[in-house]
Amino acid sequence: MTPRHPSAEPFFLPTDAGTRFCLYHAPRATVRGALVYLHPFADEMNKSRRMAAMQARALSAQGIAVLQIDLHGCGDSDGEFADARWDQWKRDVEHACRWLHQRAGVQPGLWGLRLGALLALEYARSAAVKPAQLLLWQPVMQGAAFLTQFLRLRVAGAMLDDSVPATGTRELRAALASGEVLEVAGYELAPQLAAAIDAADGTALPPCPVIWIEVVAAPDRPLPPAASRIAATWGQQVSLHGAAGPAFWSTQEIEDHPELVALTCSLMEQRHE
């Protein structure tokens, strides 16, 4: 029986610190572009796997090669989550870009979701070879705010467990600053990674064209004011859009967002005309 979708090619990519699990979606037509997909953080990664696969298959049908990489300490790659470091993730991106360039024959761009988008922005600004473009899905723009939200998961957990002392994000930040590894929502967060996320800022002008898509609750909902303000400072470098549908990276059940896939394909088609 012929499969509905061509299978992605799984493999382990050698890096300077172990191997990274990857899925390669080869272009099903003449190569028109290439993207390295950077997943979101912690459980958001697991909630987003289905959408990432749906989008990667749709892009490959357009002639856009996609490489999905599990970063160091995440998914099926080498290392534990407590070993994960922001700088190592940047080196993982460099390894992935180099491999995809050699395989597809074109300079790749980066496609990031949530914290993966912030990683893409920071990598692009410091990379020796700039990405061809950035595709941002619901990007985290301020790492400090994201870290606070993540730590609140532990605060909420403590409120539901009488055996765990009550605490707040200020105390948790102090524990990280003292070098303590914290368990948050089942993930061991290293102080080095927390500090790097805390300092990450995605608001500076990127060095390449950007497609930025925000997920909104309904078609008539305006885009978040913060996103509009940042995009305005980036000027012609960015095209900002909204896609009405579920926040699939944080929903209780696994959700599809076909409108987001269709919009992304349409915008990528326009870019690669």
Side-chain angles (χ1 to χ4, degrees):
M1 178 181 293
T2 302
R4 293 181 60 192
H5 305 286
S7 298
E9 174 187 340
F11 68 101
F12 286 92
L13 176 69
T15 75
D16 61 311
T19 61
R20 306 290 176 264
F21 179 72
C22 294
L23 288 172
Y24 178 57
H25 300 260
R28 291 161 54 193
T30 302
V31 180
R32 304 171 68 194
L35 289 171
V36 172
Y37 170 70
L38 304 180
H39 57 73
F41 190 70
D43 207 38
E44 291 187 0
M45 173 185 179
N46 300 320
K47 296 285 182 64
S48 304
R49 284 190 183 279
R50 179 175 166 81
M51 275 295 296
M54 288 174 60
Q55 186 66 73
R57 288 195 295 263
L59 289 170
S60 75
Q62 287 184 289
I64 297 172
V66 178
L67 181 65
Q68 295 179 249
I69 180 172
D70 287 2
L71 299 168
H72 180 225
C74 304
D76 294 315
S77 289
D78 278 352
E80 301 297 328
F81 194 84
D83 304 321
R85 300 290 184 271
W86 192 253
D87 285 345
Q88 181 61 57
W89 286 355
K90 286 184 179 179
R91 291 197 293 277
D92 289 355
V93 177
E94 183 176 356
H95 284 289
C97 287
R98 190 180 305 132
W99 184 92
L100 186 55
H101 189 189
Q102 292 174 350
R103 181 66 176 264
V106 297
Q107 181 60 35
L110 300 175
W111 159 32
L113 169 59
R114 301 282 291 147
L115 198 71
L118 181 56
L119 179 65
L121 285 163
E122 287 224 324
Y123 173 83
R125 294 189 188 106
S126 61
V129 180
K130 305 301 180 190
Q133 68 177 104
L134 297 179
L135 169 60
L136 309 179
W137 275 7
Q138 200 78 14
V140 171
M141 301 305 292
Q142 297 289 349
F146 179 84
L147 179 64
T148 297
Q149 292 175 352
F150 187 65
L151 293 177
R152 283 175 180 155
L153 296 176
R154 172 159 167 150
V155 175
M159 294 172 67
L160 299 174
D161 188 344
D162 294 337
S163 65
V164 178
T167 188
T169 57
R170 181 177 300 178
E171 290 77 11
L172 295 177
R173 283 176 175 276
L176 287 166
S178 70
E180 183 177 341
V181 175
L182 293 182
E183 189 276 329
V184 182
Y187 294 87
E188 290 192 321
L189 177 64
Q192 298 91 335
L193 179 59
I197 292 173
D198 206 21
D201 182 352
T203 58
L205 180 68
C208 56
V210 179
I211 295 173
W212 177 347
I213 305 177
E214 287 282 326
V215 172
V216 294
D220 58 349
R221 291 288 183 88
L223 292 169
S228 298
R229 282 196 302 272
I230 295 169
T233 67
W234 290 358
Q236 299 296 319
Q237 196 84 325
V238 61
S239 60
L240 175 64
H241 308 269
F248 55 89
W249 59 90
S250 62
T251 51
Q252 190 68 28
E253 303 295 333
I254 300 300
E255 296 265 12
D256 293 347
H257 192 337
E259 293 82 2
L260 176 59
V261 174
L263 175 61
T264 300
C265 286
S266 175
L267 294 170
M268 292 296 289
E269 183 70 26
Q270 294 171 31
R271 171 160 172 74
H272 291 279
E273 282 180 346

